[in-house]
């Protein structure tokens, strides 16, 4: 008798329980405060950035539309993951329904890929602005942003949907305790009595295909930018361009580095505590969201001026 047929004779689970930091329960105590602060910083900073771009007419340009899209993605990712984690930390509310678990899995996979793709479009925007400044107004238009947004949403919504679908079709009847703070694909699917080889391969291939290709193209864009910047002869122009693009690139590198460390810690399970990848996974949904509006928004002179204008107008 197969495992699946054994499962069919039992009642399949209708909900899961998220078991955060089993081996390091003390982490929840000291993590709850900084995680709360990071969450409120991310939500507040992105809300201010979105409001400023929406209300300030001078910011209704392609580059700021991309910043708005990035902020929206950050807000959705934060709301999908962090409130539930804080409810577990504060009130021990660990249960999550079957449907909600796989919905969270889809949103996390889809929106992280969308964010990576948005970074790619923003890198291309900076490449055109610095390497082909005279052609910038004719290339980076409102129509370009619409097409880019359709590409970002369409590519990632379609190419990430198989992960939660395949996981949801597995049979779950022996255990419903997820050793994670979130409904990550492999953390959930390993509870099944079915063979999950396809799920593992799809997660690996999909992640490296989407995020890996984006990262390679981003590196190419910034290498062309660096070469063009070093040729600038106008006084202060190179320093200004390096300052702006350098901070952008560091943030993108930080986004990618957390993912890389997360993968490496999964590979080297015996060398690190199993709670470390869980911690990295949670932080990856809030730290970039808190930093993005500061690096991309507040460091941009036009957005600074827009925020100051709004503050002067407010009673």
């Amino acid at each position: 008798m197969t495992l699946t047929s054994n499962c069919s004779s039992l009642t399949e689970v209708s909900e899961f329980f998220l078991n955060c930091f089993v081996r390091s329960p003390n982490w929840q105590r000291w993590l709850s405060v900084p995680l709360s602060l990071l969450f409120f910083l991310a939500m507040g900073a992105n809300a201010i950035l979105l409001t400023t771009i929406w209300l300030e007419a001078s910011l209704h340009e392609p580059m700021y539309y991309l910043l708005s899209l990035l902020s929206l993605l950050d807000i959705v990712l934060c709301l999908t993951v962090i409130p539930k984690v804080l409810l577990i930390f504060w009130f021990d509310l660990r249960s999550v329904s079957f449907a909600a678990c796989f919905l969270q899995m889809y949103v996390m996979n889809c929106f992280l890929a969308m964010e990576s793709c948005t970074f790619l479009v923003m890198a291309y925007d900076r490449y055109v602005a610095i390497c082909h400044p005279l052609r910038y107004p004719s290339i980076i238009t409102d129509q370009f942003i619409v097409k880019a947004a359709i590409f970002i949403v369409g590519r990632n919504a379609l190419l990430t949907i198989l992960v939660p679908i395949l996981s949801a079709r597995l049979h779950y009847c022996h255990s419903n305790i997820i050793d994670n703070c979130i409904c990550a694909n492999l953390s959930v699917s390993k509870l099944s009595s079915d063979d999950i080889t396809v799920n593992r391969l799809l997660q690996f291939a999909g992640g490296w295909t989407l995020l890996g290709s984006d990262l390679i193209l981003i590196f190419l864009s910034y290498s062309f930018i660096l070469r063009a910047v070093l040729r600038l002869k106008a006084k202060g122009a190179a320093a200004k361009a390096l300052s702006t693009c350098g901070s952008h690139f560091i943030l993108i590198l930080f986004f990618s580095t957390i993912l890389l460390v997360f993968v490496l810690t999964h590979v080297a399970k015996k060398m690190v505590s199993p709670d470390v990848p869980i911690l990295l996974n949670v932080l990856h949904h809030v730290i970039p969201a808190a930093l993005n509006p500061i690096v991309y928004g507040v460091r941009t002179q036009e957005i600074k001026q827009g925020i100051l204008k709004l503050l002067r107008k407010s009673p």
Side-chain angles (χ1 to χ4, degrees), residues 218-234:
I218 288 169
F219 267 101
L220 283 174
S221 295
Y222 278 101
S223 64
F224 288 133
I225 290 171
L226 181 61
R227 186 177 66 177
V229 163
L230 294 176
R231 293 177 179 174
L232 293 175
K233 296 180 179 179

Side-chain angles (χ1 to χ4, degrees), residues 167-201:
S167 291
R169 287 171 63 87
L170 296 172
H171 294 85
Y172 300 91
C173 56
H174 298 294
S175 174
N176 64 344
I177 308 297
I178 302 171
D179 290 332
N180 206 329
C181 295
I182 58 180
C183 291
N185 174 37
L186 298 181
S187 297
V188 177
S189 59
K190 73 179 183 181
L191 300 179
S192 171
S193 56
D194 298 335
D195 182 11
I196 63 168
T197 303
V198 174
N199 297 68
R200 291 180 182 276
L201 290 174

Side-chain angles (χ1 to χ4, degrees), residues 4 18 29 54 56 70 78 93 95-97 102 108 122 149 165 175 197 201 214 228 240 274 281-282 306:
T4 302
L18 297 165
R29 297 174 190 168
W54 180 42
E56 186 56 46
L70 187 65
C78 268
L93 299 177
S95 65
V96 56
S97 70
F102 291 103
M108 288 189 300
M122 294 174 76
I165 287 178
S175 174
T197 303
L201 290 174
D214 288 346
K240 183 179 179 182
N281 213 340
V282 171

Side-chain angles (χ1 to χ4, degrees), residues 6-205:
N6 272 332
C7 192
S8 63
S9 64
L10 301 171
T11 303
E12 294 204 28
V13 303
S14 60
E15 64 178 359
F16 294 102
F17 289 88
L18 297 165
N19 213 10
C20 286
F21 306 130
V22 181
R23 293 160 188 82
S24 310
N26 289 333
W27 286 15
Q28 292 187 192
R29 297 174 190 168
W30 63 263
L31 257 181
S32 60
V33 173
L35 190 63
S36 303
L37 294 175
L38 281 170
F39 173 68
F40 289 119
L41 172 62
M43 297 300 293
N46 282 291
I48 291 171
L49 184 61
L50 281 171
T51 304
T52 303
I53 293 173
W54 180 42
L55 295 178
E56 186 56 46
S58 63
L59 299 178
H60 294 174
E61 296 180 4
M63 181 178 72
Y64 303 112
Y65 294 148
L66 289 173
L67 286 176
S68 298
L69 177 59
L70 187 65
S71 286
L72 283 172
L73 295 175
D74 283 334
I75 287 173
V76 173
L77 275 172
C78 268
L79 290 174
T80 302
V81 173
I82 306 304
K84 180 60 180 177
V85 175
L86 291 176
L87 286 174
I88 294 171
F89 286 0
W90 291 338
F91 307 109
D92 203 36
L93 299 177
R94 300 175 181 273
S95 65
V96 56
S97 70
F98 189 87
C101 188
F102 291 103
L103 177 61
Q104 186 192 60
M105 185 188 298
Y106 175 64
V107 172
M108 288 189 300
N109 282 310
C110 180
F111 278 67
L112 279 174
M114 283 187 190
E115 187 156 340
S116 173
C117 198
T118 304
F119 281 136
L120 172 60
V121 177
M122 294 174 76
Y124 177 71
D125 170 84
R126 292 300 85 202
Y127 162 74
V128 176
I130 292 174
C131 299
H132 304 284
L134 298 179
R135 296 176 58 199
Y136 182 84
S138 62
I139 296 175
I140 309 298
T141 61
D142 289 349
Q143 290 77 13
F144 170 83
I145 297 300
V146 171
K147 291 177 183 177
I150 293 172
F151 172 73
I152 290 168
V153 174
R155 185 197 79 163
N156 300 296
L158 291 174
L159 295 182
T160 58
I161 198 168
L162 272 179
V163 170
I165 287 178
L166 287 179
S167 291
R169 287 171 63 87
L170 296 172
H171 294 85
Y172 300 91
C173 56
H174 298 294
S175 174
N176 64 344
I177 308 297
I178 302 171
D179 290 332
N180 206 329
C181 295
I182 58 180
C183 291
N185 174 37
L186 298 181
S187 297
V188 177
S189 59
K190 73 179 183 181
L191 300 179
S192 171
S193 56
D194 298 335
D195 182 11
I196 63 168
T197 303
V198 174
N199 297 68
R200 291 180 182 276
L201 290 174
L202 185 64
Q203 182 77 37
F204 181 81

